[in-house]
């Protein structure tokens, strides 16, 4: 692997990049740093053909990775569960991610690490014969909620769609199985909502496209326990609650409990803690962003400069 100081200078001629297709950013694949428009995988990669892949997304804020160790832990456990192998160790992956950000010059970035099953030269149907592929990239930071939605709270629809059972696709392994989530999104748009929450196999609330959900009732918080990705932002909410002595637990959440809550918010690396003020036709609480949501959001962003929670990117 090329260390940052020895990385070749990357001169990008902006005139040759179609920004409608490719954002600014730098990718790493097959051993090379590339502009986003050059980062292409084979159509024979099982990651593309069968969603046979795991990935993780970490963000960079003010030039610092937020909770990088937790993201690397989750990525590595996904790779092991899917019986994949990487040619890089943990420190090398951390360094590649840092170089993608440094070479892109981004101070606020959305950073992905991906391991796909890859493909075999003989197009074998045996997954053990595939050469697994590692891809990383850093592009500008993006959020589930835009500025207006962060200010007034998101409008969410609860979809009838059921999240794929954990015994079929384990949500704890972060994956690209999104057909259920995308179906939920289209149903939400049909109902004039901005995003969706979908159900677990028991009819309880599970999660949404790229986020977990929490509700606050009488000062205590709850988030679904079953059939969801153990989000790093979700975990961060537990850590922040411990710090400010708020009660929080993971357990089943019904649709009625969510609609009857004092406050609701969603959590994702893509946006942090984001308020929800309407679910279907019901206003949550008084219909405005609640005080506990605001307090946790402020604390969450304060932690981004704290060396105990963040790691600096080394820019050239
Ligand atoms: N649930 C799903 C299905 C996701 O894809 C994501 C993030 O992409 C989350 C929850 C939130 O996880 P995190 O807080 O680690 O970003």
């Amino acid at each position: 692997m090329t260390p940052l100081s020895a990385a070749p200078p990357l001169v990008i001629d902006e005139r040759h990049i179609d920004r409608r297709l490719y954002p600014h950013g730098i990718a790493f694949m097959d051993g090379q740093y590339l502009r986003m428009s050059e980062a292409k995988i084979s159509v024979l990669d099982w990651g593309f053909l069968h969603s046979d892949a795991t990935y993780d997304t970490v963000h960079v804020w003010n030039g610092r990775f937020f909770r990088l160790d937790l993201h690397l832990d989750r990525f590595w456990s996904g790779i092991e569960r899917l019986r994949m192998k990487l040619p890089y160790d943990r420190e090398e992956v951390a360094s590649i991610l840092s170089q993608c950000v440094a070479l892109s010059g981004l101070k606020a970035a959305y950073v992905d690490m991906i391991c796909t099953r890859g493909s075999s030269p003989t197009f074998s149907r045996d997954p053990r014969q595939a050469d697994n592929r590692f891809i990383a990239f850093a592009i500008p930071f993006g959020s589930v909620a835009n500025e207006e939605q962060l200010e007034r709270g998101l409008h969410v629809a609860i979809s009838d769609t059921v999240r794929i059972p954990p015994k079929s696709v384990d949500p704890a392994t972060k994956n690209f199985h999104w057909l259920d989530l995308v179906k939920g999104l289209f149903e939400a748009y049909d109902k004039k909502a901005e995003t969706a929450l979908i159900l677990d196999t028991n009819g309880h609330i599970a999660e949404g496209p790229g986020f977990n959900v929490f509700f606050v009732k009488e000062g205590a918080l709850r988030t679904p326990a079953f059939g969801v990705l153990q989000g790093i932002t979700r975990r961060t909410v537990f850590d922040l609650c411990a710090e400010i002595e708020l009660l929080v637990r993971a357990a089943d959440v019904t649709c009625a409990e969510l609609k009857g809550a004092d406050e609701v918010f969603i959590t994702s690396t893509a946006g942090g803690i984001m308020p929800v003020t309407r679910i279907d036709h019901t206003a949550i609480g008084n219909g405005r962003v609640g005080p506990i949501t605001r307090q946790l959001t402020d604390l969450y962003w304060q932690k981004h400069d704290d060396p105990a929670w963040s790691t600096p990117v080394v820019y050239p």
Side-chain angles (χ1 to χ4, degrees):
M1 199 198 50
T2 323
L4 179 61
S5 54
L10 197 73
V11 182
I12 298 178
D13 185 340
E14 297 290 322
R15 289 169 305 172
H16 300 308
I17 297 175
D18 185 345
R19 290 270 172 253
R20 290 166 301 176
L21 291 176
Y22 298 104
H24 173 69
I26 294 297
F28 175 89
M29 62 185 298
D30 300 335
Q32 281 185 303
Y33 292 94
L34 303 162
R35 62 195 87 181
M36 288 308 291
S37 56
E38 293 167 335
K40 308 246 163 84
I41 62 160
S42 162
V43 292
L44 298 180
D45 192 306
W46 282 38
F48 171 69
L49 290 177
H50 305 304
S51 285
D52 189 348
T54 186
Y55 76 111
D56 217 289
T57 306
V58 56
H59 70 221
V60 166
W61 194 252
N62 287 338
R64 304 177 74 88
F65 283 105
F66 189 59
R67 311 206 88 178
L68 180 59
D69 279 344
L70 296 181
H71 288 277
L72 289 170
D73 288 346
R74 187 172 64 179
F75 184 50
W76 242 268
S77 92
I79 288 171
E80 277 162 20
R81 286 182 213 199
L82 296 184
R83 303 196 200 193
M84 292 174 174
K85 283 200 174 61
L86 278 190
Y88 306 109
D89 65 23
R90 207 183 143 99
E91 282 65 40
E92 287 170 325
V93 167
S95 165
I96 291 168
L97 298 176
S98 188
Q99 289 186 46
C100 286
V101 180
L103 289 168
S104 73
L106 292 164
K107 296 291 180 326
Y110 177 102
V111 185
D112 255 24
M113 56 201 105
I114 304 168
C115 185
T116 70
R117 183 72 58 197
S119 54
S120 88
T122 59
F123 198 45
S124 161
R125 302 187 76 84
D126 182 341
R128 293 170 303 181
Q129 290 177 12
D131 295 327
N132 303 157
R133 170 173 276 125
F134 175 72
I135 304 167
F137 62 79
I139 56 174
F141 181 79
S143 170
V144 173
N146 63 31
E147 278 192 22
E148 185 206 328
Q149 291 163 343
L150 289 174
E151 196 48 47
R152 62 137 159 93
L154 281 153
H155 297 170
V156 175
I158 297 177
S159 155
D160 290 336
T161 306
V162 172
R163 190 89 169 105
I164 190 166
K167 281 193 172 172
S168 304
V169 174
D170 180 2
T173 301
K174 199 164 154 67
N175 63 74
F176 291 134
H177 176 94
W178 267 51
L179 293 184
D180 43 11
L181 295 167
V182 172
K183 181 166 171 276
L185 262 183
F186 275 104
E187 286 169 14
Y189 298 149
D190 289 345
K191 293 181 191 165
K192 309 274 180 264
E194 293 158 337
T195 190
L197 279 165
I198 72 173
L199 305 175
D200 69 20
T201 42
N202 302 316
H204 298 124
I205 299 288
E207 60 186 343
F211 55 82
N212 296 112
V213 63
F214 285 77
F215 79 84
V216 184
K217 187 75 183 177
E218 291 161 6
L221 290 84
R222 199 185 326 155
T223 188
F226 173 70
V228 298
L229 175 73
Q230 315 282 310
I232 305 300
T233 324
R234 176 182 182 271
R235 150 83 190 264
T236 300
V237 168
F238 278 78
D239 294 340
L240 296 176
C241 284
E243 219 176 272
I244 55 175
E245 297 182 0
L246 284 175
L247 280 178
V248 56
R249 67 194 173 100
D252 287 345
V253 174
T254 66
C255 299
E257 283 175 317
L258 204 64
K259 289 183 185 177
D262 300 329
E263 300 179 36
V264 174
F265 60 83
I266 60 169
T267 60
S268 174
T269 296
I273 298 173
M274 296 164 277
V276 172
T277 47
R278 176 169 290 274
I279 298 179
D280 294 335
H281 296 295
T282 308
I284 303 304
N286 62 9
R288 288 199 290 275
V289 180
I292 291 181
T293 306
R294 282 199 194 283
Q295 186 185 10
L296 286 169
T297 307
D298 290 348
L299 205 50
Y300 172 80
W301 288 108
Q302 278 167 31
K303 294 291 184 191
H304 283 64
D305 295 325
D306 182 337
W309 296 60
S310 63
T311 320
V313 174
V314 184
Y315 293 90

